[in-house]
Amino acid sequence: MKKNRKNLALLLLAASLLAGCTGQSNSQSSQSSQAKSEKKAESKASSKSAAKSAAKSAASSAVSSTKSSSSQASSKSAASNSQRADANRMGTLTSQLRVKLPGMLLPAADGLGQGSSNLNIRYTSSRSQNVVYYSVGNSPLALNDSRIASEKPYAVLTEKKNVADASSLINYQEPKTGLPAVKIAGNVTGTEEGAAGSTYLQFNQGQWSFVVRASNVQGQKPLPTAQKLLSLYQKYGLPDTAAKSSVQVDVGESLGSLNTVITWAKGSSVYQLKAHSTETAFKMLKSLN
């Protein structure tokens, strides 16, 4: 009987221990499951946060790109409007000149690299000649405004009318012989001679003679200017003329110097354009009509 009771007690103790182990195992399993759930939740939250951040970054980039594109478009539009305004000013003044000086050849381009918005024009007219002065002032003024007379012209276009002997005004130079030859460029060769403290380099093309004068006192050399002159002629050309015509350039360019002088005949008129820049002169004559 005592033995049976002892066995029963042992069985109850074993059952109790077994139940405890099983409860501990279930508790550990539950804790593991909860940890996994928390990690999944954290992962989802992290993914959502990253997605929101990426979306905000993309939106910010898109806004920045749109603003940049808008700014560039606005800048281009402003530059285009400015160019049109500059061209319109030359066009407007030239249209007014055509009314005042009917029949005179006039350039459609001002030949300027900058300052077109403040382009000013004045003119004088008589029975024998018309003279047009082109200048850049501090502000745009009306055609022939009295204040323009105080501005230094960068170009002066003259038409002498009803000329009986054009050659006396044009000063064309026949090709020289017996002088040192100087290669200008390609197959174009000129001649060089010294006189009165200057060196003259001359070359001829078609009906045109080109003469470049350099000052020996100032240490100037005529060849670089002659090469530029030939290049401009090949690029822009010169007005059509049946008579022999001339281009004369003094080395050195400065405002008001008018060192480039181009003279030619058209019908019974002799035209002359003086300009402080040789390139400006060629640009203006290219648009002559």
Side-chain angles (χ1 to χ4, degrees):
M1 185 70 175
K2 288 181 179 181
K3 187 177 180 179
N4 291 336
R5 287 180 182 177
K6 188 177 181 179
N7 289 336
L8 180 60
L10 289 172
L11 288 172
L12 290 173
L13 179 59
S16 176
L17 291 172
L18 180 61
C21 289
T22 302
Q24 186 178 2
S25 176
N26 290 338
S27 175
Q28 290 177 345
S29 176
S30 175
Q31 290 176 355
S32 176
S33 177
Q34 183 178 358
K36 288 182 179 179
S37 297
E38 289 176 353
K39 285 184 178 180
K40 286 183 179 180
E42 289 177 357
S43 178
K44 287 182 179 180
S46 178
S47 296
K48 288 182 179 179
S49 177
K52 286 182 179 179
S53 178
K56 286 183 180 179
S57 178
S60 176
S61 177
V63 170
S64 177
S65 177
T66 301
K67 286 182 178 179
S68 177
S69 298
S70 176
S71 177
Q72 290 177 357
S74 177
S75 178
K76 288 181 180 179
S77 177
S80 178
N81 290 338
S82 176
Q83 290 174 353
R84 283 198 295 270
D86 292 348
N88 288 341
R89 177 156 182 77
M90 179 63 176
T92 298
L93 292 173
T94 301
S95 295
Q96 295 171 4
L97 268 179
R98 293 192 191 284
V99 175
K100 303 294 184 181
L101 307 174
M104 181 179 180
L105 293 174
L106 295 169
D110 59 29
L112 294 171
Q114 59 183 3
S116 296
S117 58
N118 288 334
L119 169 71
N120 291 318
I121 298 177
R122 67 182 181 92
Y123 71 92
T124 61
S125 182
S126 67
R127 293 183 63 182
S128 60
Q129 70 175 20
N130 298 320
V131 185
V132 182
Y133 302 84
Y134 297 84
S135 60
V136 175
N138 295 322
S139 61
L141 300 172
L143 178 68
N144 248 23
D145 188 294
S146 60
R147 290 170 290 180
I148 301 175
S150 63
E151 298 175 355
K152 286 186 177 181
Y154 70 85
V156 179
L157 178 62
T158 301
E159 176 195 19
K160 292 188 179 293
K161 297 180 279 187
N162 303 314
V163 176
D165 181 14
S167 61
S168 62
L169 298 173
I170 292 175
N171 196 29
Y172 172 84
Q173 300 293 308
E174 294 288 349
K176 300 288 194 303
T177 58
L179 294 172
V182 178
K183 182 177 180 179
I184 310 297
N187 60 352
V188 179
T189 301
T191 55
E192 188 175 88
E193 64 178 324
S198 298
T199 299
Y200 295 84
L201 178 54
Q202 175 186 334
F203 63 95
N204 292 62
Q205 294 284 286
Q207 294 283 79
W208 293 85
S209 68
F210 299 81
V211 177
V212 175
R213 185 187 75 84
S215 169
N216 296 336
V217 175
Q218 298 180 39
Q220 296 173 340
K221 301 296 181 183
L223 182 57
T225 299
Q227 291 171 330
K228 178 183 178 181
L229 182 56
L230 176 61
S231 176
L232 290 171
Y233 170 68
Q234 293 172 337
K235 181 178 181 179
Y236 294 104
L238 284 167
D240 292 333
T241 175
K244 293 179 178 180
S245 303
S246 69
V247 178
Q248 296 173 296
V249 179
D250 285 353
V251 174
E253 297 180 354
S254 60
L255 183 61
S257 63
L258 304 179
N259 282 347
T260 295
V261 182
I262 301 174
T263 314
W264 73 101
K266 183 71 173 179
S268 61
S269 294
V270 171
Y271 285 87
Q272 184 178 83
L273 178 66
K274 295 181 178 181
H276 82 276
S277 162
T278 306
E279 185 167 6
T280 293
F282 273 84
K283 287 179 177 179
M284 293 179 76
L285 292 181
K286 177 70 175 178
S287 67
L288 200 70
N289 61 69

